[in-house]
Amino acid sequence: KREKHRDKKESLTVRDYLNLVEKDPRIAQFAHARADEIICGTNEENVEEVPEDERWFGVDRRYTFFSKELFGVDRSIASLMDYIKAGKNRASTGKQVALLVGPPASGKSTVARMVKQGFENYRARPVYMIQGCPKQEEPLHVLPRRLRAEFEEKLGVRIEGDLCPICREKLKEYKNPDGVIRWWDIPIEQFSFSIQGVRGITSFEPSDEKTSDVTALTGRENISITSVHGYNHPRAFEISGKIPKAERGVCEGRELTSSDPSVLGVFFSVAEERELEIQGSSFPHLSVDTMSLAHTNL
């Protein structure tokens, strides 16, 4: 049964995915929205109203997702949830890097760990990607721009982002002699978040070398390709950095304020513009859908 189920998943196409999203639009939700679902529950069953006589600093909601391990930090958790919900609704506050600041043993790393484990244990609904994409690309990115408004209305979702160079190159395989691209036939596959597998969950810790920090975040040159095919080849630069590997999930920044300003600039660009540039490449900016959650000691 497992083998049959796996074969069924591998045979899905974008056309099948559109039918799935039409039935359940939250399959195609953004990373912040998925984080909100993980913490609050599918129907906010993990959210409790705080009795009036127990409220401190105006905090009127408690999240059982965190209260299992953390105590006395309800105000900080409430601020984090305000950020996540802003990102879910594409509000301006969500275009920021969430930075947890405090003394050692105040729960910063615990919050990050719990969020990452929440993504890894996420089973509320399936998550799909374009087959073979190095950054777990959202299948809706294959939709031509001229059709997106129509599909947004029909599916009840918001479509943001563009294909990475590798997936864009893949379109050529589905081009008819008359020039029509059969984007609806592009195969997709289901994937699961994994900390050890570095799928949708990554952690970044700054080192002493400035250049290695940036390339570790974005990606690096593939010399075996550039030496033969040049820098314009879609695989000339590996999309292997911590941020693209965190696509659809969360990227944890450890001791982020110790990073070089150029590294901080990458995080800011990802948060504000939802785009990433691979240093030194001729690639256009890559679309990014990830939640940046950083922490640093006071």
Side-chain angles (χ1 to χ4, degrees):
K1 289 183 178 179
R2 289 179 181 176
E3 291 300 325
K4 289 181 179 179
H5 186 54
R6 187 178 299 119
D7 291 341
K8 185 178 180 180
K9 289 190 297 185
E10 291 176 352
S11 64
L12 290 177
T13 65
V14 171
R15 188 200 302 272
D16 301 318
Y17 184 70
L18 294 176
N19 292 328
L20 291 172
V21 174
E22 187 175 19
K23 296 176 182 176
D24 183 6
R26 293 171 77 174
I27 288 178
Q29 63 190 341
F30 298 118
H32 287 79
R34 189 169 288 111
D36 181 74
E37 183 180 27
I38 289 169
I39 296 169
C40 298
T42 304
N43 298 305
E44 297 213 339
E45 63 270 15
N46 297 331
V47 182
E48 297 178 348
E49 292 292 328
V50 179
E52 289 190 20
D53 58 340
E54 296 180 15
R55 293 179 183 178
W56 295 88
F57 304 109
V59 177
D60 58 359
R61 307 181 93 194
R62 183 179 294 122
Y63 300 89
T64 57
F65 178 87
F66 292 110
S67 60
K68 301 171 186 175
E69 295 189 38
L70 296 169
F71 305 92
V73 291
D74 289 347
R75 187 180 183 184
S76 299
I77 294 299
S79 298
L80 175 62
M81 291 308 300
D82 287 342
Y83 159 78
I84 291 176
K85 289 183 181 298
K88 170 185 176 179
N89 296 315
R90 287 316 199 229
S92 58
T93 307
K95 291 186 174 183
Q96 299 174 4
V97 177
L99 178 63
L100 309 178
V101 183
S106 58
K108 306 180 302 297
S109 299
T110 302
V111 169
R113 173 178 58 79
M114 294 181 75
V115 171
K116 291 192 299 180
Q117 289 179 342
F119 270 95
E120 189 168 50
N121 297 328
Y122 178 73
R123 298 293 184 273
R125 62 197 80 247
V127 185
Y128 295 92
M129 58 175 274
I130 297 175
Q131 193 176 84
C133 179
K135 59 187 283 288
Q136 301 97 229
E137 190 105 39
E138 164 61 55
L140 293 180
H141 288 179
V142 305
L143 288 171
R145 290 252 174 209
R146 57 187 172 79
L147 299 177
R148 289 193 175 187
E150 176 185 345
F151 275 97
E152 283 183 338
E153 182 177 356
K154 181 179 180 180
L155 302 176
V157 299
R158 184 171 177 175
I159 303 173
E160 293 181 4
D162 293 292
L163 294 174
C164 71
I166 292 177
C167 290
R168 186 170 293 277
E169 183 73 9
K170 192 184 189 77
L171 290 176
K172 296 180 180 179
E173 301 174 19
Y174 296 87
K175 190 173 184 178
N176 292 338
D178 58 0
V180 175
I181 297 176
R182 305 187 319 278
W183 52 264
W184 53 86
D185 285 336
I186 292 177
I188 65 169
E189 60 186 357
Q190 189 175 338
F191 85 97
S192 57
F193 295 96
S194 172
I195 297 174
Q196 294 301 319
V198 198
R199 292 191 307 273
I201 308 171
T202 59
S203 296
F204 171 77
E205 193 161 356
S207 64
D208 295 330
E209 300 178 16
K210 171 182 171 181
T211 53
S212 66
D213 274 356
V214 175
T215 56
L217 271 179
T218 61
R220 63 187 76 244
E221 179 184 351
N222 188 341
I223 300 177
S224 63
I225 296 294
T226 57
S227 60
V228 178
H229 302 286
Y231 289 91
N232 292 325
H233 192 277
R235 297 184 182 272
F237 288 80
E238 297 176 349
I239 307 176
S240 58
K242 299 289 187 178
I243 289 178
K245 287 294 184 182
E247 182 79 5
R248 321 285 292 283
V250 59
C251 179
E252 174 197 17
R254 299 178 179 178
E255 295 300 328
L256 194 64
T257 54
S258 302
S259 301
D260 186 274
S262 64
V263 172
L264 295 177
V266 174
F267 273 97
F268 295 152
S269 178
V270 167
E272 294 175 7
E273 310 299 336
R274 299 188 179 95
E275 291 182 340
L276 175 71
E277 181 180 15
I278 296 185
Q279 302 297 315
S281 76
S282 58
F283 291 174
H285 282 77
L286 301 180
S287 299
V288 175
D289 173 29
T290 186
M291 184 177 75
S292 298
L293 180 59
H295 53 89
T296 187
N297 283 328
L298 187 62

